[in-house]
């Protein structure tokens, strides 16, 4: 009998610095993608981790059939930018070494970390004849330039490097039409661009008695207008505002949020909690605050937006009406947009306090925000 030869499994590498369990949303989603692809392909995961990731996966009975290549992580979102940059360079060298060893023919890479790692992946792909799927969850160096202005020469150099990576990619994935336009205009890439929302952590919302107040849940970082929120909340409370505020998450402004919670009655700060707990807290409030620097909305989209919407909370977008974030909230009919000023925010807080418009426990059709949708779409993009 003639022997039938089955096609060899494709070698696939998934490259992302943040991974499960430290990253419980995107990291968990990528783990599910890797597990699905490993059913029919040879999959390696190239990442960084502060723990023994292989041991943790084995203990939790996850990651069957996945070759885990993890180097030690020495920084996080609250670490000084210089140290984060050095850690990214170490990871860059690790990625290139692992790609040369594993020799994958398909590679998924995201902007975690940006520019340098997608670049070395693209260099490997050029000589290793590999197909790259480049997932731009942020667009750099533009997003970083808003936090720390770069020298014009450095800015042009990094843009040129990243644009080359975009042109080398077989497929590009990003979050919004505005971001897709920036990618196309800057890189002149001919690759197809797929829009894919960040996945949400779904918390049960039916029958939940919501607190009449506001929650902010996510990174308290440099782009999230945390100082503006602190000043506006202080002014609102000083003028007799009664609604409570809760902050969940860590970041560079954690100490200021903790100080606000001590200073102002009705303000609480929980710090960093699990993704499931964070989604549960969002589902317990009527309103969720989605604040973002206007300039960065062309280059990034707040990851917590999906969890807010899926939890059924009304969303108060603190940004300009022209931004992609404001348009997203208003087009879905899930909240309001407020100009980023103390006076406008205080006025909005009082308007919501006096309103009888109580959010419903029923959500619009947001199935595309479900993690299973994200996993299905990303698995298909990588494997085809």
């Amino acid at each position: 009998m003639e022997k039938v030869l089955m096609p060899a499994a494709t070698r696939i590498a998934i490259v992302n610095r943040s991974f499960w369990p430290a990253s419980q949303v995107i990291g968990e989603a990528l783990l599910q993608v890797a597990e699905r692809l490993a059913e029919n392909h040879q999959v390696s995961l190239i990442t960084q981790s502060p723990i023994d990731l292989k041991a943790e996966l084995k203990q939790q009975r996850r990651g069957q059939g996945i070759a885990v290549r993890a180097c030690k992580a020495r920084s996080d979102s609250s670490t000084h930018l210089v140290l984060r940059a050095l850690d990214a360079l170490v990871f860059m060298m690790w990625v290139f070494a692992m790609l040369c060893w594993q020799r994958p023919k398909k590679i998924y890479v995201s902007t975690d970390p940006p520019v340098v790692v997608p670049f070395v992946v693209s260099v490997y792909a050029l000589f290793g004849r590999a197909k790259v799927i480049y997932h731009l969850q942020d667009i750099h160096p533009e997003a970083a330039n808003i936090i720390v202005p770069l020298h014009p020469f450095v800015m042009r150099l990094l843009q040129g490097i990243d644009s080359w990576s975009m042109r080398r990619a077989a497929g590009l994935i990003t979050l919004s039409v505005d971001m897709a336009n920036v990618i196309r205009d800057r890189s002149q890439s001919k690759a197809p661009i797929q829009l894919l929302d960040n996945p949400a952590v779904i918390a049960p919302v039916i029958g939940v008695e919501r607190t009449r107040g506001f929650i902010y849940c996510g990174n308290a970082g440099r782009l999230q207008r945390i100082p503006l929120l602190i000043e506006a909340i202080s002014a609102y409370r000083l003028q007799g505002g009664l609604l409570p505020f809760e902050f969940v998450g860590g970041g560079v402004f954690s100490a200021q949020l903790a100080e606000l919670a001590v200073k102002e009655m009705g303000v609480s700060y929980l710090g960093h909690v699990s993704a499931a707990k964070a989604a549960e807290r969002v589902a317990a409030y009527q309103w969720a605050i989605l604040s973002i620097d206007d300039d960065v909305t062309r280059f990034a989209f707040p990851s917590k937006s999906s969890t807010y919407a899926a939890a059924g909370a009304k969303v108060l977008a603190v940004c300009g009406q022209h931004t992609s974030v404001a348009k997203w909230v208003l087009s879905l009919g899930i909240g309001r947009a407020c100009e980023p000023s103390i006076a406008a925010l205080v006025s909005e807080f009082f308007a919501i306090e006096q309103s009888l418009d109580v959010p419903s426990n029923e959500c619009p059709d947001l199935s595309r925000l479900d993690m299973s949708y994200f996993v299905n779409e990303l698995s298909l993009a990588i494997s085809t």
Side-chain angles (χ1 to χ4, degrees), residues 175-196:
L175 296 167
S176 71
V177 172
D178 286 352
M179 293 174 69
N181 289 338
V182 170
I183 290 168
R184 190 72 78 198
D185 291 344
R186 196 241 277 168
S187 71
Q188 302 300 308
S189 172
K190 304 299 182 184
I193 300 178
Q194 178 181 356
L195 299 185
L196 184 60

Side-chain angles (χ1 to χ4, degrees), residues 55 101 138 185:
W101 180 28
D138 306 293
D185 291 344

Side-chain angles (χ1 to χ4, degrees), residues 37-57:
L37 294 174
E39 295 173 3
N40 299 299
H41 303 283
Q42 298 176 18
V43 178
S44 59
L45 179 68
I46 304 175
T47 187
Q48 278 186 310
S49 179
I51 63 172
D52 185 341
L53 187 56
K54 288 184 181 179
E56 184 67 18
L57 285 166

Side-chain angles (χ1 to χ4, degrees), residues 107-171:
I107 309 168
Y108 165 89
V109 64
S110 76
T111 45
D112 184 13
V115 182
V116 291
V117 169
F119 174 69
V120 298
V121 167
S122 299
V123 170
Y124 165 82
L126 178 63
F127 297 101
R129 298 181 180 179
K131 171 184 175 182
V132 177
I133 302 298
Y134 187 5
H135 193 169
L136 291 110
Q137 294 162 313
D138 306 293
I139 300 175
H140 290 277
E142 288 88 343
N145 187 60
I146 295 171
I147 303 172
V148 180
L150 301 173
H151 188 280
F153 172 77
V154 175
M155 183 73 174
R156 289 193 298 271
L157 175 63
L158 294 177
Q159 285 178 322
I161 290 172
D162 201 48
S163 293
W164 182 82
S165 299
M166 293 175 188
R167 290 192 295 273
R168 286 293 312 161

Side-chain angles (χ1 to χ4, degrees), residues 281-336:
R281 295 309 304 154
V282 173
Y285 275 81
Q286 289 185 1
W287 286 87
I289 298 175
L290 185 62
S291 52
I292 188 74
D293 188 289
D294 282 13
D295 290 339
V296 84
T297 58
R298 294 177 59 231
F299 314 119
F301 202 91
S303 58
K304 55 184 169 287
S305 57
S306 297
T307 297
Y308 281 179
K314 287 286 188 180
V315 178
L316 177 60
V318 183
C319 54
Q321 300 278 339
H322 64 283
T323 64
S324 58
V325 172
K327 292 174 184 176
W328 182 83
V329 170
L330 297 175
S331 66
L332 288 176
I334 58 172
R336 304 161 73 156

Side-chain angles (χ1 to χ4, degrees), residues 348-369:
E348 199 70 44
F349 292 154
F350 276 113
I352 291 172
E353 179 181 330
Q354 295 160 13
S355 173
L356 298 178
D357 178 22
V358 179
S360 168
N361 281 332
E362 296 183 3
C363 303
D365 182 12
L366 301 171
S367 56
R368 71 180 193 180
L369 303 182

